[in-house]
Amino acid sequence: MNQVTFSPKPLIQLGATPLLAMPAARRLLPTSPAMAVLTDFSQVVPQSVDADTPIDEAHLKMRYGGVRLLFVMDNKAHCIGVITSKEVIGSRRINLAMQQRNLSREDITAEMIMTPWHKLSAMPVSQLASLTIEDLVLSMEAFTDQHLLITEQNDNHEIRIRGIISATDIQSAVGKEINPMPRAKSFADICHVITGHDL
């Protein structure tokens, strides 16, 4: 029996300051499929916090994770709402929660200031699959939130959140020709950009 002996090759030493490989920037058109701007949770792990997470801790998780939205989870792994950077940085909901519960800021949790699931807007992934980016944005013209949830049914016919679309992700994907490029805060802003500029 012949056995092949593995002979490891020596590692190299870098002789000059190296570059870093980077993924190619996505450049999409308003006519590109809307699915192209979906953050797909079948491929990317969604960022979440427990319901009893203090708001300052939730804010840190957003900063370190580079996201502006966290899903708020109960102890049965159900999504009971979302919390955005607007809520953890702003004072309105925090002050209201402090007054209603007679608590200090340190005691305010994600669940106390989140937007609960029954107040969230969503679109089925089957509907999204039939749209272009422009179709999506125009259909969301009056939508003043920055994030749109995308849903699907699992094998047990339960609704689950398949992914999320951010207005800023759409802007960075299709807005390269806009100069200066205004910072979008909602789908309504993106609609103004697409309808008000020749892309």
Side-chain angles (χ1 to χ4, degrees), residues 7-8 20 22 29 32 40 42 47 76 83 90 141 144 147 153 177 190 194 196:
S7 178
L20 282 179
M22 295 284 185
L29 298 172
S32 299
D40 190 342
S42 67
Q47 300 265 350
K76 296 178 182 173
I83 185 172
E141 182 174 2
T144 56
H147 300 91
Q153 288 191 337
E177 293 95 343
I190 287 291
I194 284 187

Side-chain angles (χ1 to χ4, degrees), residues 130-142:
S130 68
L131 302 177
T132 66
I133 293 174
E134 186 172 24
D135 292 336
L136 170 67
V137 170
L138 292 175
S139 69
M140 303 301 294
E141 182 174 2

